[in-house]
Amino acid sequence: MSDSSPLPPARLHPDAELAREALSTPLLSRAVRLARWAGPETRVDAGGGIVDEQLPAAAEVLGLSGEEAAADAGEAWRVAVDAGLVDVVDEEEGTVTAGADLPLLTGGSPQDVLTVWLAALETVLADASVPDLEGLVDAIAAGDGTGELDLSSFDWDPEAEAEFLDGVLRNLYLLTVGEEGPAGASVPLPALAASVLVPEDMPEPTDDVLRQVSDAMMRLDDQFRMLEPVGLVEYQPVDEALLVETDEESAESGESAESGEPQDDTDVSRYGVVRLTPLGLYGLRARLLEAGFEAPAVGDLADKGADALLDGTAVFPPAAAHAETEQWLARREPLAAARELLAAARGSDKSAPLRRLQCQQALSLVGLSAEPALREVLDDAELGGLARVWLTEHGAGDVPPPSEAMIFWLTVDTVAAQLAAEGNSEELRALVEGLARQHSGFFATAWRVEHPATADVLEAMGRLHPDKKIAKEARKAAFKARSQHGG
């Protein structure tokens, strides 16, 4: 994905709501409790981690028990230090004090809280890209006796591992912002891993690629387990019983099983399912912006002109375009908004038909108070058709019937807009078939329409219509249209 191409807009929750969610995440709330617990007797090691002998006390403060209690307390402490909730006063003595950002969580703005949470997220993402500590210890023990880690012998590339996780999270972000509903997409782990590893031009993944997907799934299972407590995702882990079944089947067959490939759709959830939370959507968008991606949010166009709204929403998914337009209209008086939209919809450039389609969709959200603006353009060659449609749909009286020339112009404009928006879609194919069926002699008149896109529209109709005779009529009409305009 190029950082120069804009992503679909994110539909973010309000900052205040996101800040409340951030404060309630298990990891940040633990970090806050440790920051408030730390005092003059608290000591840290050279890396800023709380010393081993004080980890049990830290775990007790957090109400943690069991084998992972010390590790979980240590992780919460690292987040507290990295997020500015705790400051190391003297590195040699290992003393600490409350950090400057700790009071912001109760007395700062929602944006202050979210800034602290983003720092916590970075710490967890960095930890998630590191192999398990037992593996590191084993690798060092198996080394040359120097006590130093040879990454090449460990088959671990920190930069490549971080890039892989970033790629997975970018794809999860794309799947989320591309959804029509308010909730993010729940994505099976095999599909998410495959979206990064399987080349787009590969019709069927090879055995080697399937093995890579399987290995990646196991890594991602560990990583998403780590990322859930910080509030980035909701995660249903890989069913551990499935791993046992896979090992048994592999032993019986004497072959390596592809544990990353579900055998049927009914058991796909057993392979792990992940969903980006609203807080996670906010966090990944912030990281994408920091990395130089164009990652818009719904509401970015609310204070822009109608021209920016119509051009911008033309590439938005329908639900996002609807939400963006609602926010834009909410800041304006309906009659003035309608006039601004209509003015921005004029033009003979290639983008103009799509602007007019977006204008028509935006005006569908405006009430009858905008009627005067529509009546003002009834005689406009470019806007008169859509004005009549709007007035009729809103039950207005005394709407003059359109001339045949206006009907044909509006038809060409509509097909041109659909071509720009969807290309050769099934919906457009159905529209083309309907036009040819409902209007006998359509092509005999259509080629004369004084519209910049007439020839292109007729060529597309010839390309899309399944009836060879009708398709030939459309192509002949396109030739006449180009000849008429000297094209």
Side-chain angles (χ1 to χ4, degrees):
M1 179 174 56
S2 169
D3 58 6
S4 62
S5 57
L7 305 175
R11 301 169 69 184
L12 300 177
H13 288 209
D15 281 0
E17 180 181 331
L18 293 174
R20 288 192 296 271
E21 292 180 9
L23 290 172
S24 67
T25 58
L27 190 53
L28 183 58
S29 61
R30 289 174 182 172
V32 172
R33 288 165 66 185
L34 287 184
R36 291 172 177 158
W37 162 79
E41 302 303 316
T42 306
R43 292 293 181 271
V44 295
D45 56 28
I50 194 167
V51 293
D52 290 344
E53 53 266 31
Q54 292 186 344
L55 275 175
E60 184 179 356
V61 168
L62 298 177
L64 300 174
S65 59
E67 294 181 0
E68 301 298 322
D72 290 343
E75 181 184 31
W77 179 264
R78 285 196 303 278
V79 167
V81 172
D82 292 348
L85 307 181
V86 172
D87 287 338
V88 177
V89 178
D90 188 321
E91 293 184 1
E92 291 186 3
E93 294 293 327
T95 54
V96 299
T97 187
D101 290 341
L102 182 60
L104 296 178
L105 299 182
T106 53
S109 67
Q111 191 58 50
D112 291 330
V113 174
L114 291 171
T115 299
V116 172
W117 178 80
L118 286 172
L121 175 63
E122 290 302 320
T123 296
V124 180
L125 286 170
D127 288 346
S129 297
V130 177
D132 65 278
L133 293 178
E134 290 182 7
L136 285 174
V137 171
D138 292 343
I140 293 174
D144 57 8
T146 64
E148 296 181 356
L149 178 60
D150 180 3
L151 293 180
S152 61
S153 66
F154 189 57
D155 191 25
W156 174 58
D157 183 340
E159 185 175 340
E161 191 68 25
E163 287 180 359
F164 173 75
L165 182 57
D166 281 344
V168 168
L169 293 177
R170 279 199 298 271
N171 282 8
L172 183 58
Y173 181 90
L174 278 171
L175 290 167
T176 302
V177 296
E179 280 288 289
E180 288 302 311
S186 293
V187 185
L189 203 58
L192 189 57
S195 72
V196 177
L197 294 172
V198 180
E200 292 183 5
D201 58 354
M202 180 179 287
E204 289 292 334
T206 64
D207 289 345
D208 181 59
V209 170
L210 289 176
R211 278 191 291 272
Q212 292 179 44
V213 170
S214 179
D215 292 343
M217 277 180 53
M218 295 303 98
R219 298 206 311 274
L220 289 173
D221 182 59
D222 291 336
Q223 290 168 330
F224 283 132
R225 289 172 191 258
M226 295 179 65
L227 293 171
E228 187 172 33
V230 79
L232 186 76
V233 295
E234 293 176 1
Y235 183 54
Q236 177 181 326
V238 174
D239 186 350
E240 293 186 3
L242 181 67
L243 303 180
V244 175
E245 294 170 11
T246 302
D247 289 341
E248 291 175 351
E249 292 172 3
S250 177
E252 291 174 3
S253 64
E255 299 174 357
S256 61
E258 299 295 345
S259 61
E261 287 301 304
Q263 298 303 308
D264 56 68
D265 292 338
T266 59
D267 66 355
V268 68
S269 64
R270 298 182 67 192
Y271 291 81
V273 179
V274 64
R275 186 181 79 86
L276 195 60
T277 66
L279 183 62
L281 181 66
Y282 169 87
L284 291 191
R285 176 175 179 265
R287 298 185 84 242
L288 287 167
L289 291 172
E290 182 69 23
F293 288 86
E294 187 177 344
V298 170
D300 285 352
L301 303 177
D303 59 350
K304 303 290 194 302
D307 53 348
L309 176 73
L310 299 183
D311 286 337
T313 55
V315 296
F316 284 11
H322 184 94
E324 185 71 61
T325 303
E326 282 187 326
Q327 292 198 29
W328 189 89
L329 290 170
R331 298 194 180 192
R332 291 159 178 81
E333 187 271 328
L335 181 57
R339 284 176 173 145
E340 188 179 349
L341 287 167
L342 289 165
R346 287 191 173 93
S348 58
D349 56 286
K350 286 189 175 182
S351 300
L354 188 51
R355 283 203 306 276
R356 282 185 283 272
L357 178 62
Q358 294 300 119
C359 174
Q360 190 170 358
Q361 293 172 348
L363 288 171
S364 69
L365 304 178
V366 181
L368 277 172
S369 56
E371 181 177 346
L374 278 299
R375 290 196 177 276
E376 290 166 5
V377 298
L378 281 172
D379 294 330
D380 188 290
E382 296 177 348
L383 305 175
L386 71 83
R388 283 167 171 77
V389 171
W390 187 94
L391 290 167
T392 301
E393 289 178 345
H394 284 73
D398 193 26
V399 180
S403 65
E404 182 181 71
M406 181 172 285
I407 291 173
F408 272 83
W409 195 97
L410 182 60
T411 300
V412 170
D413 201 58
T414 300
V415 177
Q418 295 290 348
L419 275 171
E422 303 174 6
N424 300 332
S425 67
E426 287 301 318
E427 292 79 3
L428 183 56
R429 188 183 300 274
L431 174 61
V432 166
E433 291 181 35
L435 286 172
R437 183 172 57 251
Q438 295 167 17
H439 300 276
S440 60
F442 176 83
F443 299 110
T445 303
W447 69 268
R448 304 177 190 274
V449 173
E450 293 290 335
H451 189 293
T454 296
D456 291 337
V457 164
L458 292 172
E459 280 186 355
M461 294 181 76
R463 185 172 63 250
L464 293 171
H465 204 288
D467 188 295
K468 292 183 178 180
K469 181 180 177 182
I470 296 175
K472 184 176 181 180
E473 289 181 32
R475 290 194 294 270
K476 288 174 65 176
F479 178 78
K480 290 182 180 180
R482 293 206 186 280
S483 299
Q484 175 177 256
H485 293 93

